[in-house]
Amino acid sequence: MPKRPNKDAAELIPDRPTISSVRDAAKNCQACDLYKRGTQTVFGEGARKARLMLVGEQPGDAEDLAGQPFVGPAGKLLDRALVEAGIDRAAVYVTNVVKHFKWEPRGKRRIHKKPSAGEIAACRPWLDTEIALVKPRAIVCLGATAAQSLLGRQFKVTAHRGELIASTLAPIMLATVHPSSILRAPDDETRRTEMKRSTDALRKVARALEKS
Ligand code: SF4
């Protein structure tokens, strides 16, 4: 069996981690093959002691090029939802369960490809460290990949979207759809409805945070 060339991500985490030292360490991660495909590691960013952490699936095309999470079209939609929910994005920490962009070519475009269970597991030490350092009071999972990664593989966003869920990871936990799925809605009316549901979910988290 060929020797596995890549280190586990956990081995790269510094002894006394801070968000910036962990972000630096993640730049050199080769714990799964996605480092070969993406332009760069896209680590989480935001307030170091944010009370709210948003977790998506993986960076997209724009994020891969910018090196920042949620800066593309889905990020802009998320920004709008946060504004409508009265949440200041600068006070939030945003990240993804997988830190490299997985894609496949279609003509000249790079099309998002869902990360595998192995890639999600390989990347998990980075997310666990972000959660341990930021210690958010609330975590919102954006989409099924994030929700199943943090809440278990049986978790269904379609069944529990917008509900407050018990978790050991944070006192307040909720899952909603990924903003990219709202962008893919088949028509304007569906898009408006989906956006309202996501904004309502964020409002619910904001209210729970106020009380906590
Ligand atoms: S996706 Fe995660 S585990 Fe894989 S190389 Fe990138 S940072 Fe490392």
Side-chain angles (χ1 to χ4, degrees):
M1 208 167 120
K3 191 170 175 295
R4 190 161 163 265
N6 301 333
K7 278 188 169 181
D8 283 347
E11 292 173 31
L12 299 175
I13 293 167
D15 286 343
R16 292 178 162 204
T18 62
I19 282 291
S20 56
S21 70
V22 179
R23 179 182 291 114
D24 280 349
K27 288 178 186 163
N28 301 315
C29 186
Q30 300 183 355
C32 76
D33 283 343
L34 293 185
Y35 79 95
K36 297 177 185 167
R37 216 180 296 195
T39 306
Q40 57 194 317
T41 306
V42 181
F43 203 73
E45 66 176 26
R48 279 159 202 242
K49 294 291 168 196
R51 299 184 81 220
L52 171 59
M53 178 180 280
L54 305 176
V55 183
E57 180 193 78
Q58 62 167 341
D61 186 76
E63 288 80 9
D64 171 72
L65 297 174
Q68 294 176 279
F70 287 102
V71 291
K76 303 239 175 324
L77 193 126
L78 178 64
D79 284 350
R80 257 182 52 214
L82 287 169
V83 168
E84 285 176 26
I87 297 171
D88 177 8
R89 175 159 171 177
V92 172
Y93 188 93
V94 289
T95 192
N96 287 298
V97 294
V98 167
K99 312 297 195 214
H100 271 100
F101 178 35
K102 183 173 183 180
W103 58 276
E104 59 190 5
R106 192 172 304 158
K108 289 186 178 166
R109 294 177 63 208
R110 302 189 301 171
I111 303 298
H112 162 274
K113 197 159 184 245
K114 193 174 156 53
S116 69
E119 289 154 352
I120 291 168
C123 213
R124 184 63 188 258
W126 299 120
L127 178 60
D128 284 341
T129 307
E130 289 176 295
I131 294 171
L133 290 172
V134 176
K135 296 188 182 66
R137 296 281 306 158
I139 297 177
V140 172
C141 302
L142 300 170
T145 301
Q148 288 176 356
S149 177
L150 293 181
L151 294 164
R153 291 178 82 166
Q154 306 309 318
F155 185 88
K156 290 213 178 327
V157 176
T158 42
H160 300 289
R161 177 177 177 181
E163 294 175 9
L164 294 174
I165 300 146
S167 167
T168 54
L169 296 172
I172 300 161
M173 176 70 95
L174 178 144
T176 184
V177 298
H178 194 281
S180 62
S181 77
I182 301 177
L183 290 174
R184 290 195 303 270
D187 53 68
D188 287 348
E189 193 182 335
T190 311
R191 197 168 301 115
R192 270 195 296 277
T193 306
E194 292 295 294
M195 182 70 173
K196 183 178 179 314
R197 288 186 71 187
S198 286
T199 305
D200 287 348
L202 289 171
R203 267 197 208 105
K204 184 187 267 192
V205 170
R207 277 198 303 272
L209 274 171
E210 273 169 23
K211 288 186 203 147
S212 74

